[in-house]
Structure formats: C-alpha cells, structure tokens
C-alpha cells in the first residue's frame, strides 16, 4: 500500500548517496560471520514431576557454529551421562528425569564457536530441589505458668520459594492469632504471654511449597499452661493467683530482634524489592508495637504494617527508603526499642553496552561498557569467551573501553563484557565482523511495482557491502541519476518517488559499487488512477426514531477492480457486513441504512475503500436530534417569604439548543399530585427567581424545550413552604342571581387555593339598600353565597365582599350594585292601537308600563293576536293565538303574516325575568282585501290548429271578493325565446273556462290564468301546449293519448314531425332558459310592498309551540338595507322566512298551496290530430 507523503521542506540530494552498512541490515548468512547467540535458557528448576528438563542454546554464524558447555566454570561433556539427549547443529540438550539427578544441579554456560570467533551465553542455573521433609523427632511438652512468654519453633525444611507457613490444630483449624499470639517471618509461633486457654496438645506447623506442589507437617507440639506453681504463701488460692499475676506483670522485651542483637541492626534490601522489618515482643500486659522513621527522607504517608503491627512493609523499594527505622513495644509497665539501619543496594544495570557491527579493513574500533549497581560492579572483558590478556592483546583495554586501530580481517571476534557485584552478574556481547566484499544486492532483479497517482512509490534495493557501497538510481535508458526533490533515497537503498504521476511509469535501475566491485538490478513501475470516495448526505441531522440512508460513491482504476473492497466504520470501529440489531442497521456494499435512529447511532460514519495499492476514506457525521434530557440537580436558594431562586443543571441538548425552560410546581396542601405551570425561562438560562404565594408547600420541576420538543420532567426539588399572610385580593364576579320575590341571593367567585394565603378563610359580606340605608349590614360566611330574605322587591343594594383569614383581611373591596328578587310586572301596557300597513302587515303601538310596575329588569313586550272571523263569508273562527316578542323597552312593533280580509283581536303585555305581566285590553282590527292566491289548476281541454279551450279552478284563498280573471298567452319557440304577451280579461267571476281563437298552427304556447280582486290580481297558474297541423287536437288531461287509434296514428307521423317532437321533449327535459324574472315582471303583485325597513318579532301560536314547518328567527340573518328603520321593529317569531314582498312563505294555519311560478312549475302536452 502506497501512502501519500508531503514533500514540503525536503531538499535532499540523492546523487551518490552513501549508506552506513553497519546500521542498515543484518549480515546475510551467505557472508562469513561470527557466531551470535539467538536463544538461551535462564534459571530453571527441575521439578520432580516433570519428565525431562530442556537447556536451550541456539546460535547463528558462517561457518555453522559448534557448541561447548561448562558447568560451574568447568568443561561439561554432554556425552558424559546417557540421560542427556543432545541435538545436532544445536547447543540445546535435554536431561531425562530418571534416577538421581541432583548431580545435574549447577550453573551452565554455552559457547558457540567457528573459525572467526566464539559467542558465550549468560549463565544458566539449573536447580534440582529435594523433596522437603520435617525431621522425625520427639518434641517434649512445654509446661509453663500463666503469663509466661513462649516460642513454638517450626524450623521448616528448605525448598523452592515461595514458602507459606500455617499453624493449625489436628483438625486443620487455624490457630487464632492476634497482638498477643502471632507468627514470625521465619514461621515460629510467639506468645507474648500465655493464658490457660492456650493449653493444647496439637500445635501443628504446616509448610507449603506451591511450585513443588508439596505441603509438609511438623509433629504436633503440646503446650500446658498452669495457673500457679507455689500457693503455700497464702491461705487463699485466689490470693495466690492474684499474687502470682502481680509477680508476672513485666515491661516488654523484644524477642525479634533478640536482645543479643543489641539496640540496633543493619538490614540490606534490593532496590525494587520488598522491605520487611519485624519486631516481636513479650510482656504482660500484651505490648503494643509502633513504627517510626527517624532518619533519612521521611515518608509522606503512614508506613504499611502487617501481622498486627509487628511487620513494617515497603513495596518497590527506592533509595529514598534508606534510613533508620525504629520499632517500639510498650505496655503500662514500660517500653523496649530497636533501630533498623536500612541500606538499599541493587544488582548491576547497564548504562552503556558494547555495540558490534560490520567494519571494513583499515577502520578503527571502540567498544564501551558501563554499568551501575550497589556495590559498584566490577567490569571484566572477554574475547571469544576467554579473559583478555592485556599483555598479548594488540589494542588498548580499560575497565570501560576497548579500542583497536587499523582493523584487519583477523580482528573479527566476539567481545564479551561482564558486570558483577554480590547481587548478580550481567553479560553483553559485541560481534566485530571485519569484512572486505563486493556489494550484494539482496532484492530480486526485475521486480514489478505499482502505485496510484498522488501517492508515494517505493522501489527496493537492499544492499550489503563492506566497504560501504555508493547507490544510485536511473530511469529507462538514462544514465543520469535521479536527483529531483520528488526522489528520495532511503538508508536501506529504497527509492521513494513522492506524489507520483502517470509519467513516472517505466523501468528503473539500481546501481551499487564499492572498492571491491559493483552490482545492478532493474525494477518496473506502473502508476494507476487513485481511488476516490464521496459519502452522501454529508453530516446529516436526523430526528430520533427517523431513518437515514448513507451512500458511498466510489471511483477506482479498472486494473484494481478485483482487489477493490468497501467497508463501513463507526467512530473507528468496523461495522459487520450482516444486518445488526434485528435489521435496524443494514449494510449493503455501498449503502448504510439505519432505521429508528437512536442516540447511540450518533457518530462519525466512515466509508473505507481498499485496493491492493491504496486505501481512502470518506466520512459523514451523523447528528441525532432529540428532545433534551431532563434537567438535573435542582437547588433552592435566596429563600424569601414570597420568592425563592431555583437553579438546575441542564441535561444533554441532543444537538438542538435549549430555547426555553418550563418551571412547574406541585403543592400538597390544596391539590396534591397536580403539576401546574408556574413560569417560563427563555433561552438557556438555568436559574430563575420564582414568585410564590403564601401558605403553600411547593416542590418544583423543570422541563427543557428545544426545536424538537419538550424533555421529560426533572426529578422534583425539595419542598419549600411559604409562611401564611393576609389575603392579597377579594372575590370577583360579585352578582345577585334570580331568586324569589322578597329575597336576594348574593354570589361571587371563591378565591382559588393559591389565593387564600393562609388558614381560616372566610368572606365578610357587607350590604345596604342604596339611597335608603347609611350603615352597612355585615355577615361572615365560609361558602361563596349569602341569601337575604324579607327584602323589598327589586330594589338596588350596594354589596361588598372581602376575603378574611386568620392573619388578616384583604384589601378594601369595591362596591357592586345588585337588585333584590324580581316579581312579574303588575301592570299592562295602555293605549294599544293598530295601523294597517297592507292586507298582511300591521303596525302596533302601545304605551309602556311605569318602571316601578315592572318589578324587575324589563325584558320586553309580547304582542298576541288571533283571527276571529273571515270578512268574506262572515264565519267565526276558533281562536288560535299567536304572539311576537319585542325585546327591550319600546312602544311599537310590526305584525306580519296576517290573513287578508279578516277580523283580528290583539293584546300587549310586558315581561321580565320572572315572567309575563297582565295583558292589555284586546283591540279589534280588520285587514283589507288582498290579491287572491293562484287558481288551483289550469287545464287545456281542447286544442286545434288555431284555437284552444282552457279550464281553471277557483283560488284556494281569494283574500277578498273576486272581480274576475286575467288570461294571458304567448308563443315560445325552440330557442325558448318569448313572444309578445296577449291578454284576455274575464270579468265574470263565475267563469272557469275560456276558448281562445286566432292561434297559429304547429306552434307552442304558454298560457297564464290569475284571479283578481279589487286589490289586484294574484300569481298566475301556467300551462304549455303545442298546436298541430290539419286541425288535430291534443290535450294532456282528456285521456285520448292512451287510446289505440292514437298509437297507430303516431306511427304514421312524418319523419320531420317525429324529429320535431323528439327535439321538443329533449328541450323540455332540460328545462327552459327563458327568464322567470322576466315572466314575473309581466305579472306584478299589487299587494307586494317592500318591508325591508321592518324586522319581525318572535312568532308563536296560543300554546307557545312553534308551528309545523316554522323556521328560526331571522334577526341575525337579515342583512342591513338602505332603510333607516331599526332591526328591532320586528319581533322574534317562528315565521322567520318571508317572501320578497314581506309575506310569510306558507301560513300559520291550514295547509299550504303552491302559489308561485317556481312551486307550480310547468308541463308540456302534445295533442293528436283529428282526422
């Protein structure tokens, strides 16, 4: 793989670059060279359970070295014992574990030699341990008095460390140890003073050797402790015991170190090892041990002790641990001390080892050897494993240096330097190879190399030569050495071409030459296109639980297709190819799909493309957006009666900054468990001063908000209770609701729990009759209403309500005006009169009742009316009452929808919230004649080519005395254009049919008939018909169209007539396009008058139920017109939908007739021809 390197600042000239051979590569084995030890054993233990023991010694050299051994400094013949198995061309041998092998124990050294010199190994110690055993002996019981000191000796056998010693009884239970009874480092069991319960016959010492897999046991020992031996000096045994104990009490005496060692002793410890200083004392009472360092560098910490303070332990000893340590054993009787003078020594360590190498003839040699240790090591030089005799050695030799000048081939040798002190020996060897050979090129000739554009290419030329060779590289057929800044020759002969280009492809030659000879090899270089990568999208920001698809787009050289591989990494760790987490993360070569993204998916995703020549990476940072983590560590500070400061630590924002914090509170006095919003803090502030209400036991929590949403609530803060206080506010919405007469119910909104401010909340209610009473009446209540009885009906009162608790009263309350209970009005309107507007509409006037007679809030007036008889026939009608309500204080109203030419009675009453007052005296009025309704029907009885007979019915409601009928007709053609309208006046009101003459044949006509009174004519009823040729008659009501001759005759009609009929029917089914408005304009209703300046009231029948088919009030639906009259001129009634002329659509009694052109519609009749 060729990696891109920067060439900035590199100015290396490659021409005739010279290598230092000694530091370049190893000597090829094909070149004659000194032996070198390549592998050897170190200290080895011959365990009795192993089958054999291998002592290793391997070496390389040319010629092949031969091997010799010494044991304990004397030659050792590998053939001297048949249990030794040697290896050909190797110094390694194996000792078989048969018989007694203790004679193999010793220190071995291996020597590897050829004609050029001898290499020597370090010493190899072979330890052949014996099986450790305690000697068989008879141990006499120890008989001692209470309080004596005793030592039970273990004297464990020798063995391979580590050694573990245990004191147990015959049941393998450990002997309890404490400050009085403890074991020394040597394994002896010490009793500072004995007690009777120490008596036992099974004190056993066990010695364990883990490396030998052996545990041995000493014979059991018996210890007898008696209370006293001489009791004749007192008549009482207890007195004797007390006296004996008194005699045994003594100050401490050191057993380790023994008194024979004096007051101080010296201890030597190896640097890096463990220092163990031990003090064990006897005495009664039991002594206590204490350690202190009295000279040298004092330790920063208390020294570590073991074994109940009897052992001072220091791990990893350094020179700073040197000094004097003192142990003190003390009890109430006195103390004993001992000082340890600690000296830190160390085995030899190298400062400078001799360095061998390859040297050319005539050069000089200097070998240095320096070591440190305590005591200071002695240095010894050896040549080919033998001490150097300075008398015969031609060079200069000192303790730390050997030098030779003008080296020759025969000076090749192995030099050994040994550094020794009492703690060990170290060995360093230096091979001095003096050679004179032509260059050897170790790299194969004709090697093929490849690299990618922009990266470095490395062409190898590994050289060995003595003297050192000059190396140069050339390209293609040129003999000039490569010497530009892009070429760099490394010490090992490798040519590096930096930032390669396509033109760097070609053949190269490596030349090596010295004074002995020269060599050359060739190498071929191909330059490929570099691999390119792009990951899309770049650094996406994804909402948690959403999905993301990353795509890796790659371009690479076609020659590298077979070695091209893609992989994905996350935060440097490679992702497995197979889908993970049950398919949530799916890799498919160049795509990476992650569904239900989590926070753990955030990171740097890297696409890695590898070929045999290069490796490139492209990355995209996936940012996962989520709601913030809940805030943490809520703290309260700046505590005040009505405020506290809340601080918190914001949780992780998950890549979307916190823009708001919501502070909620919960209080457990009034609404426990209910969290309510208290305030909001904009931005990312993490502290807020909270305004609080008195007499609350708060706890708070915080929610963080970012662009994604709200976090979960934080854990609640500690509770914070505010002290009680007097109320800050009074109740609101003070009102007097409807009640019985002579009663007043005062109500108000109670204070919320947070507004009470303290315990014992009550309401102080004050009232007085406005303008009558001066002093206030007062009453304290706990609920939020107060009822007063025996009050005057509907009089104003001044009312105040003040909040009061145990700590005081709220602010001075505002005065509210309220009225006592209402009663129904006790007076009727007067001066009722009626103005006739038209045959269906009247205007009613009245005088309102006095205010004091309303006895409440005046809601308005109700006008009731009912028809008494028809003026047409004089018949009396069953009274069916209707009424309209007129809201507010007014004295007139419009009554619509009346029947023309009828007699009515009308009354007016006032009403308030309590109900209706008495009705006024009824007023009689008559409505004038009106226009009739349309005739019931219009039929075509007879139709020939130029005439037609029409028949019609009486109108359902004539609305007056009929004066006759108006008959009209006009032509309508296929385009539905309307011809001129012809009128015929029928003055005889009893005439119900008419024959029209002078019509055109084969022509379609439309006929109109309307009834008339002195007030005018009503809406027409219509019919259409088609005249036929040859005097054929047709009609739609005579039934001839169903006769057989008609069917036969129709089959004989000419094709043109049939086509005409088809067109007529199609046109008829689609509906005519002639203007209805134009037709209606031809027949104006003389009774129709605009009532756009009037609004109707509520309408109802006598039982106050809406009429069938009645509609909702149109008060809110009628748009303002150009009239200046108020909308309230009309009452609120059931018949809220009117025609354009102001009349009701339909009536409030009886069935309705279709009385308009639109409702009646039209029909077309085609009549057969008479023969």
């Amino acid at each position: 793989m060729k990696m891109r390197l920067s060439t900035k600042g590199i100015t290396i000239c490659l021409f005739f670059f010279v290598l230092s051979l000694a530091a370049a590569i190893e000597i090829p084995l094909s070149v004659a060279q000194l032996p070198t030890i390549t592998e050897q054993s170190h200290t080895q233990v011959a365990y009795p359970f192993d089958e054999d023991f291998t002592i290793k010694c391997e070496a390389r050299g040319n010629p092949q070295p031969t091997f010799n051994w010494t044991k304990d400094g004397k030659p050792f013949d590998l053939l001297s014992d048949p249990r030794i198995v040697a290896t050909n061309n190797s110094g390694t041998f194996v000792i078989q574990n048969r018989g007694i092998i203790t004679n193999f124990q010793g220190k071995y050294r291996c020597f590897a030699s050829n004609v050029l010199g001898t290499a020597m190994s370090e010493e190899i110690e072979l330890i052949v341990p014996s099986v450790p055993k305690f000697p068989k002996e008879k141990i006499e019981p120890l008989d001692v008095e209470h309080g004596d000191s005793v030592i039970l000796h273990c004297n464990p056998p020798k063995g391979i460390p580590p050694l573990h010693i245990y004191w147990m009884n015959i049941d393998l239970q450990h002997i309890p140890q404490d400050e009085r009874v403890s074991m020394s480092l040597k394994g002896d069991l010490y009793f500072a003073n004995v007690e009777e319960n120490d008596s036992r016959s099974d004190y056993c010492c066990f010695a364990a050797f883990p490396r030998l897999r052996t545990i041995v046991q000493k014979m059991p020992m018996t210890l007898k402790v008696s209370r006293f031996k001489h009791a004749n000096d007192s008549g009482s045994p207890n007195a004797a015991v007390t006296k004996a104990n008194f005699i045994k009490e003594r100050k401490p005496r050191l057993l380790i170190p023994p008194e024979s060692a004096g007051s101080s002793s010296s201890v030597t410890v190896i640097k890096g090892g463990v220092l163990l200083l031990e003090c064990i004392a006897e005495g009664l009472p039991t002594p206590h041990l204490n350690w202190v360092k009295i000279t040298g560098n004092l330790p920063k910490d208390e020294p570590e002790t073991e074994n109940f303070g009897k052992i001072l332990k220091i791990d990893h000893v350094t020179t700073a641990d040197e000094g004097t340590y003192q142990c003190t054993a003390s009890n109430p009787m006195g103390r004993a001390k001992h000082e340890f003078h600690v000296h830190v020594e160390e085995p030899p360590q190298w400062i400078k080892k001799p360095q061998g190498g390859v040297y050319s003839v005539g050069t000089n040699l200097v070998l240095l050897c320096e070591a440190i240790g305590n005591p200071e090591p002695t240095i010894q030089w050896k040549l080919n494993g033998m001490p150097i005799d300075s008398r015969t050695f031609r060079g200069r030799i000192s303790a730390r240096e050997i030098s030779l000048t003008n080296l020759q081939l025969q000076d090749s040798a192995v030099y050994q330097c040994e550094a020794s002190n009492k703690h060990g020996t170290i060995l360093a060897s230096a091979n001095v190879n003096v050679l004179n050979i032509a260059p050897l090129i170790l790299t194969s000739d004709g090697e093929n190399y490849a690299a990618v554009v922009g990266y470095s290419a490395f062409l190898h030329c590994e050289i060995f030569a003595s003297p050192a060779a000059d190396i140069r590289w050339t390209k293609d057929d040129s003999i000039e050495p490569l010497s530009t800044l892009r070429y760099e020759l490394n010490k090992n002969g490798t040519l590096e071409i930096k930032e390669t280009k396509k033109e760097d492809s070609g053949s190269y030659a490596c030349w090596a030459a010295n004074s002995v000879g020269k060599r050359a090899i060739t190498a071929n270089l191909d330059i490929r296109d570099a691999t390119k990568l792009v990951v899309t999208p770049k650094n996406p920001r994804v909402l948690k639980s959403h999905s993301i698809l990353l795509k890796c787009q790659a371009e690479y050289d076609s020659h590298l297709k077979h070695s091209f591989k893609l992989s994905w990494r996350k935060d440097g760790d490679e992702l497995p190819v197979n889908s993970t987490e049950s398919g949530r993360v799916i890799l498919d070569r160049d795509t990476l799909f992650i569904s239900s993204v989590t926070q753990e998916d955030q990171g740097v995703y890297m696409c890695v493309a590898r070929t045999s020549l290069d490796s490139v990476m492209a990355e995209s940072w996936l940012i996962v957006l989520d709601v913030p983590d809940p805030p943490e560590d809520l703290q309260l500070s700046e505590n005040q009666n009505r405020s506290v400061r809340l601080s918190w630590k914001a949780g992780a924002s998950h890549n979307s900054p916190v823009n708001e914090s919501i502070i909620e509170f919960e209080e457990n006095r009034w609404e426990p468990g209910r969290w309510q919003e208290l305030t909001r803090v904009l931005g990312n502030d993490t502290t807020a001063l909270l305004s609080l209400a008195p007499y609350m036991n708060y706890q708070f929590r915080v929610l963080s908000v970012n662009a994604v949403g709200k976090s979960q609530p934080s854990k609640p803060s500690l509770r914070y209770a505010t002290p009680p206080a007097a109320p800050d506010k009074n109740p609101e919405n003070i009102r007097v609701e409807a009640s019985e007469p002579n009663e007043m119910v005062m109500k108000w909104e109670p204070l919320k729990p947070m507004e009470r401010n303290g315990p014992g909340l009550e309401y102080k209610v004050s009232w007085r009759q406005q303008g009558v009473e001066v002093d206030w009446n007062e009453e304290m209540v706990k609920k939020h209403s107060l009822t007063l009885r025996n009050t005057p009906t509907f009089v104003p009162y001044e009312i105040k309500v003040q909040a009061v608790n145990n700590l005081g009263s709220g602010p001075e309350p505002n005065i509210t005006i309220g009225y006592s209970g209402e009663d129904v009005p006790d007076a009727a309107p007067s001066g009722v009169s009626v103005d006739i507007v038209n045959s269906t509409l009247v205007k009613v006037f009245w005088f309102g009742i006095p205010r004091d007679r309303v006895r409440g809030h005046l809601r308005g007036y109700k006008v009731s009316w009912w028809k008494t008889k028809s003026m047409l026939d004089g018949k009396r009608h069953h009274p069916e009452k209707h009424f309209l309500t007129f809201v507010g204080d007014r004295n007139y109203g419009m009554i619509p929808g009346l029947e023309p030419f009828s007699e009515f009675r009308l009354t007016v009453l006032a009403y308030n919230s309590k109900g209706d007052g008495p009705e006024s005296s009824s007023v009689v009025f008559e409505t004038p004649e009106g226009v009739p309704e349309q005739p019931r029907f219009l039929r075509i009885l007879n139709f020939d080519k130029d005439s037609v007979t029409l028949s019609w019915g009486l109108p359902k409601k004539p609305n007056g005395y009929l004066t006759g009928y108006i008959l009209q007709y006009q032509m309508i053609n296929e385009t539905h254009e309307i011809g001129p309208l012809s009128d015929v006046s029928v003055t005889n009101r009893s005439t119900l049919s008419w024959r029209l003459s002078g019509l055109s044949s084969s022509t379609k006509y439309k006929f109109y008939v309307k009834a008339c009174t002195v007030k005018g004519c009503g809406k027409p009823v219509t019919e259409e018909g088609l005249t036929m040729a040859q005097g054929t008659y047709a009609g739609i009501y005579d039934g001839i169209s169903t006769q057989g001759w008609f069917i036969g005759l129709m089959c004989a009609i000419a094709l043109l007539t049939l086509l005409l009929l088809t067109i007529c029917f199609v046109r008829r089914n689609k509906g005519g396009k002639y203007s209805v408005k134009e037709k209606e304009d031809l027949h104006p209703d003389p009774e129709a008058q605009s009532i756009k300046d009037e609004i109707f009231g509520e309408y109802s029948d006598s039982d106050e139920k809406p009429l069938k088919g009645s509609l909702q009030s149109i008060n809110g639906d009628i748009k303002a017109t150009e009239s200046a009259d108020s909308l309230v001129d009309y009452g609120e009634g059931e018949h809220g939908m009117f025609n354009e002329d102001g009349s009701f659509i339909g009536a409030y009694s009886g069935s309705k007739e279709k009385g308009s052109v639109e409702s009646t519609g039209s029909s077309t009749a085609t009549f057969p021809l008479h023969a």
Side-chain angles (χ1 to χ4, degrees), residues 803-820:
V804 180
N805 64 18
N806 291 349
L807 282 86
S809 302
E812 181 62 27
N814 296 324
I815 296 176
T816 301
I817 304 299
Y819 285 82
S820 57

Side-chain angles (χ1 to χ4, degrees), residues 393-408:
F393 183 66
R394 77 177 189 87
R396 297 179 57 188
I397 183 170
S398 67
R400 298 184 179 180
E401 181 181 308
I402 283 182
S403 62
L404 281 172
T405 58
N406 191 21
L407 289 173
Q408 300 300 314

Side-chain angles (χ1 to χ4, degrees), residues 293-309:
K293 187 177 183 183
I294 58 177
T295 64
N297 295 323
L298 297 177
K300 295 181 180 179
D301 302 321
E302 285 289 326
E304 179 185 353
T305 60
E306 294 180 350
N307 196 20
F308 311 102

Side-chain angles (χ1 to χ4, degrees), residues 461-538:
C461 185
E462 190 174 357
I463 305 292
F464 180 81
S466 184
D470 295 330
I471 300 175
R472 62 175 182 168
W473 283 85
T474 60
K475 183 175 186 292
D476 296 332
D477 297 329
S478 173
I479 61 173
E480 293 296 323
L482 300 173
S483 58
T484 65
L485 292 178
R486 287 201 309 115
Y487 300 101
E488 181 174 330
L489 184 61
N490 296 328
K491 290 183 178 181
N492 60 1
T494 297
L495 175 66
E496 179 183 357
I497 307 174
K498 301 178 180 179
E499 298 182 356
T500 54
K501 305 174 183 178
K502 281 286 190 179
E503 52 267 28
D504 289 327
S505 296
S507 177
Y508 292 80
C510 173
W511 302 83
N514 67 4
S515 59
V516 183
K518 65 179 180 180
R519 297 283 191 278
I521 61 168
T522 60
N524 301 309
L525 177 63
D526 287 327
I527 303 299
R528 310 294 189 195
D529 289 329
T531 305
K532 299 178 182 178
L533 278 184
V534 175
V535 176
T536 56
K538 186 72 173 177

